[in-house]
């Protein structure tokens, strides 16, 4: 089970890293075709909108995620979150457009946080919250996740 958490977290980080680096170039190309010479300004506006929405999502979404995990359990989030991430990545690869990119980024922001929270909560259920083993495993998973994201 611990191996599954490690593999899932690393694969999520690698996928996010690859998608983010490749979608940035794709977005610039799409903005060039839609906005012509003003594509840099339009791209900056889109990134600021995504950043604002991401901040708002993180602000009001944390209590909702905690309530869902308390009522429905962690298992549904551990299944649904990676599926939604994969579907949004598939949608972006099949229909590359600025709107699809926007939907992909917002969906990714909605899904990644609950996924990592559910993984951390499930890990604490397995090894005991507050234990030294939990602290070591959680920091090790975070380290592997960061390395996978940087190397992805």
């Amino acid at each position: 089970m611990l191996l599954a958490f490690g593999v899932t977290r690393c694969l999520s980080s690698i996928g996010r890293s690859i998608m983010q680096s490749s979608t940035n170039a794709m977005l610039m190309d799409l903005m060039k075709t839609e906005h012509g010479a003003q594509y840099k300004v339009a791209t900056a506006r889109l990134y600021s909108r995504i950043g604002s929405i991401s901040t708002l999502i993180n602000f009001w979404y944390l209590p909702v995620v905690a309530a869902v995990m308390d009522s429905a359990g962690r298992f549904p989030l551990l299944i649904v979150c990676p599926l939604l991430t994969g579907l949004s990545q598939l949608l972006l690869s099949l229909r590359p457009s600025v709107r699809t990119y926007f939907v992909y980024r917002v969906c990714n922001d909605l899904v990644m946080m609950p996924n990592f929270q559910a993984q951390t909560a499930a890990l604490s259920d397995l090894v005991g919250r507050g234990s030294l083993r939990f602290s070591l495993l959680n920091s090790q998973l975070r380290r592997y996740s960061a390395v996978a994201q940087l190397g992805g």
Side-chain angles (χ1 to χ4, degrees), residues 4-148:
F5 284 130
V7 168
T8 303
R9 190 172 274 192
C10 288
L11 287 177
S12 296
S13 296
I14 289 171
R16 185 176 179 139
S17 174
I18 289 171
M19 286 299 290
Q20 194 164 358
S21 63
S22 63
T23 55
N24 287 340
M26 181 198 70
L27 181 65
M28 292 298 263
D29 290 341
L30 290 170
M31 289 299 223
K32 279 181 190 176
T33 59
E34 286 188 18
H35 295 282
Q38 298 293 324
Y39 75 94
K40 288 184 181 179
V41 174
T43 304
R45 281 190 196 137
L46 181 66
Y47 277 134
S48 79
R49 285 185 191 134
I50 290 172
S52 298
I53 289 173
S54 179
T55 302
L56 287 173
I57 286 171
N58 288 329
F59 180 72
W60 68 264
Y61 196 53
L62 276 171
V64 173
V65 170
V68 167
M69 279 197 313
D70 288 342
S71 65
R74 293 171 183 91
F75 187 71
L77 286 175
L78 289 171
I79 298 298
V80 169
C81 290
L83 285 176
L84 287 176
T85 301
L87 287 175
S88 67
Q89 291 171 351
L90 181 66
L91 177 68
L92 183 62
S93 63
L94 293 176
R95 296 228 176 220
S97 71
V98 175
R99 286 187 185 145
T100 309
Y101 178 80
F102 187 78
V103 168
Y104 158 73
R105 287 292 302 266
V106 170
C107 182
N108 220 10
D109 285 341
L110 284 170
V111 167
M112 290 305 277
M113 183 180 52
N115 188 26
F116 286 143
Q117 284 183 344
Q119 287 177 359
T120 302
L123 180 66
S124 73
D125 288 346
L126 281 175
V127 297
R129 182 175 299 276
S131 68
L132 178 64
R133 187 170 180 216
F134 170 74
S135 299
L136 291 173
L137 286 171
N138 195 30
S139 67
Q140 204 168 22
L141 283 173
R142 287 176 189 252
R143 192 176 319 119
Y144 291 151
S145 176
V147 168

